[in-house]
Amino acid sequence: MPVTSLGGVGPKRAEQFQKLGINSVGDLISFYPRAYEDWSNVVKIENITESGIYCVKAILAAPISDARIGGGKILSKGSVYDDTGSLQLVFFNNKYISSMLTYGIEYFFYGKINIDKYGAQMVSPTFSPVSEGERIHPIYRSTAGLNGKTISNAVKQSLKLLPPVVNDPLPEQVRRTFGLCGLKEALYGIHFPKNTAELEASRERLVTEELVVLNLGMKNLRSHSRGVSPVKITQDYSAEFSEYLPFELTNAQKRAVADCVNDIMTKSSPMNRLIQGDVGSGKTAVAASVCYTVIKNGYQAAFMAPTEILARQHCDTFKKLFENTDIRVELLTGALKESEKKRVRAGLESGEIELVIGTHALITDKTDFYNLGIAVTDEQHRFGVAQRAKLLSKGKNPHLLVMSATPIPRTLGLIIFGDLDISIIDELPPSRKPVKTVLFNSAQRGRIFGFIKEEVAAGRQAYIVCPLVEEGELDDVASAEEYAAELMLKQFSDIPVGVVHGKMKSEEKEAVMKKFADNELKILVATTVIEVGVDVPNATVMVIENAERFGLSQLHQLRGRVGRGDFQSYCVLISDYGNELTRQRLEVLCSTNDGFKIADEDLKMRGPGDFFGQRQHGLPQLSIADFADTKSLEKSQKIVDYILFTYHDIRCDELKLLNAETERLFERGGQNTLN
Ligand code: ADP
Ligand code: MG
């Protein structure tokens, strides 16, 4: 039904509605209010002694009078009274007002009251006859020419068009079990609640339904995903591999390895697993162990990292780990010489190279494998799902291992990675000392530099992350270099300082990084290119300028560059934050080293959009639920489990409507990119 089928909605109105994305009566019904005005606290006129927002219950004393003022505008005035006093009403430029208010009738008026020497005046209040009894009033997102009152009237009419019994996507049994109200009730209650309790019940019902639909959708993606894997792993070599490790795996690492081994040995479909572990939790060793088992069973392994530096560092690590084995490890990145790339590609095609570490060069058309058995991606948030898929397409349904240090709040992770099984490494290697984090302002820089000098004198190294402009901007380079030059000349004239920034060629970056890793450079000034992965255990100080410009999770990642060895490490946040909220945000970092806690806070403060970067999470857009609403997320998961348990077949009749909703949600989001 088009909106024009409603009374008072002609083609012009319809056009205005369209601007809000509303075409049909159905769209109107699901055009939920963005906020509510609570009129339940009615104030007597005599008690209003200060300007402010009030709700009064009063009778219009005489018809509203219109007067023309300058520029053809209209000023409408009226007077209202209750049993304690009277009040002036004024409306600007609304020629309909006089016909909308009837004298002698009692209304609720809600709005701003100004008090001056001439008395009290209420300016353009919203109103509703007391006889209609509504106390909580919906506020809608509006657009030019279309005000809240018009929208709410149209919604009211639309709701009246609902059939006596509305088909409910949530089966009655589910609603009963989880204490959720019916759909029709919820739709009335979300637009025109009689009281706060009704509003809350309606909201809960609609939010829960949307998250259930989302959850089911993600589960569907996962179950359709990947067929049978021809990669046959018959023997577990992880115990043998532990002989090559210079340390004993933590229990959490062992569990993660066991999860993977179980996936690849006992399941017919390929492994689809995410290893989530805080920075420094030792994900690389887990991946190495699993790769070792796959390779020993006669297959190749590919390990993809997001940056050149990281790929090289991983390659060095793997080469060392596999030194005493017969496994051949090679690097494949864009920066290699053409002849070198050719050589590595030939080795991959023939199968001579069993383990390759690389960047995006791994997924170009030129790279082919002999028999790829497992694909690993590190720092998964840096890769699109398409790139993950591309890497997988290099083999015949190979196993997939995805690693992420971005601690995504657990409940959200379950949805976002709905297509992946998750192992969490929630334990750091022993002997790690937690990094001490402090917050300073820029006036205290001198003290911080003094501290760096002391640490360097004691043999340690330091990172300084300088203020970054926009990523990729020229200013970025200029600022990093200028800042470093200043430091070298003035502060650290007798200490070797290096600079890395985003615009350097990868060989240049590599050279500087290597010098820092080899302890030739004592201080590394950098933009966030050091964000991921680099491992220099001797570095004990991380100074971050303009800390307020970074997200908490990003700061946590940066902090993870230190505290990787046996020395006590420090993270110094420098910020002239100026406002209390920023200070509180940064204090979170000072108070905990728990990446999950930080991620939760980050999510609460910034919302998932910022948290993951623009659209990076690839989730559909929600109309009423909120990704940061952990409680509802958890509830929806319970409901989905209940549904799957109760109805066995997801395609059954009782779930038809719910399935249709699932399809709709994912169409609306325009992407089911997680597959
Ligand atoms: P991340 O999870 O951030 O990728 P890495 O795999 O880079 O962490 O490991 C961080 C550091 O911890 C490395 O230097 C690695 O050698 C070391 N490490 C990993 N596991 C252990 C362990 N079980 N015991 C001691 N050190 C470990
Ligand atoms: Mg890592």
Side-chain angles (χ1 to χ4, degrees), residues 406-572:
T406 312
I408 288 160
R410 273 156 231 257
T411 40
L412 190 54
L414 284 174
I415 294 187
I416 293 186
F417 301 116
D419 62 334
L420 296 171
D421 297 303
I422 305 182
S423 300
I424 291 176
I425 306 186
D426 52 4
E427 182 184 355
L428 293 180
S431 88
R432 277 296 156 71
K433 295 187 184 73
V435 178
K436 286 190 179 147
T437 305
V438 286
L439 177 57
F440 281 114
N441 60 42
S442 57
Q444 295 166 302
R445 235 186 234 125
R447 266 175 71 192
I448 299 161
F449 291 151
F451 178 66
I452 292 179
K453 282 179 202 158
E454 282 169 30
E455 284 289 296
V456 169
R460 304 286 82 77
Q461 290 164 279
Y463 295 99
I464 303 178
V465 175
C466 61
L468 129 135
V469 190
E470 281 282 83
E471 201 177 334
E473 272 186 20
L474 264 180
D475 293 6
D476 172 12
V477 182
S479 64
E481 281 183 334
E482 244 168 57
Y483 180 92
E486 169 110 6
L487 282 180
M488 284 187 260
L489 286 176
K490 296 195 181 144
Q491 295 291 340
F492 304 119
S493 48
D494 50 351
I495 297 176
V497 178
V499 189
V500 286
H501 56 70
K503 273 285 154 71
M504 281 163 84
K505 287 212 191 79
S506 48
E507 306 93 88
E508 296 171 327
K509 269 191 255 179
E510 170 67 14
V512 178
M513 286 300 309
K514 187 164 182 314
K515 277 190 186 157
F516 186 71
D518 292 347
N519 204 358
E520 284 171 41
L521 293 171
K522 300 294 177 182
I523 297 174
L524 187 67
V525 178
T527 63
T528 44
V529 288
I530 55 164
E531 184 187 344
V532 284
V534 261
D535 192 27
V536 182
N538 190 47
T540 54
V541 187
M542 167 64 71
V543 175
I544 305 169
E545 292 268 9
N546 289 113
E548 75 284 349
R549 295 208 194 165
F550 299 91
L552 289 185
S553 294
Q554 213 177 358
L555 290 170
H556 179 64
Q557 298 275 308
L558 284 169
R559 173 167 65 180
R561 296 308 110 220
V562 295
R564 298 170 86 85
D566 299 333
F567 312 104
Q568 176 62 54
S569 293
Y570 306 87
C571 175
V572 184

Side-chain angles (χ1 to χ4, degrees), residues 592-639:
T592 181
N593 276 294
D594 180 338
F596 284 105
K597 239 192 219 162
I598 290 165
D600 271 329
E601 287 297 323
D602 214 10
L603 190 63
K604 260 188 238 151
M605 293 184 196
R606 302 195 304 156
D610 294 327
F611 185 79
F612 297 106
Q614 207 54 44
R615 275 307 201 170
Q616 233 178 24
H617 51 70
L619 288 172
Q621 204 148 10
L622 300 178
S623 63
I624 188 166
D626 176 353
F627 288 116
D629 179 357
T630 319
K631 238 178 85 198
S632 302
L633 279 170
E634 274 163 11
K635 179 158 185 176
S636 71
Q637 262 144 24
K638 276 204 198 103
I639 295 179

Side-chain angles (χ1 to χ4, degrees), residues 359-370:
T359 52
H360 296 85
L362 288 175
I363 55 175
T364 60
D365 291 337
K366 288 184 196 148
T367 310
D368 285 307
F369 287 82
Y370 174 68

Side-chain angles (χ1 to χ4, degrees), residues 247-250 253 277-285 314 378-379 405 429-430 432 533 535 537 561 564:
F247 43 74
E248 192 183 342
L249 292 180
T250 62
Q253 283 171 313
D278 216 339
V279 271
S281 60
K283 295 182 289 294
T284 318
H314 278 315
D378 194 17
E379 309 294 345
R432 277 296 156 71
D535 192 27
R561 296 308 110 220
R564 298 170 86 85

Side-chain angles (χ1 to χ4, degrees), residues 105-119:
I105 299 275
E106 190 173 38
Y107 294 91
F108 290 114
F109 294 97
Y110 180 93
K112 177 112 205 274
I113 292 180
N114 290 325
I115 293 184
D116 56 24
K117 58 186 174 195
Y118 304 110

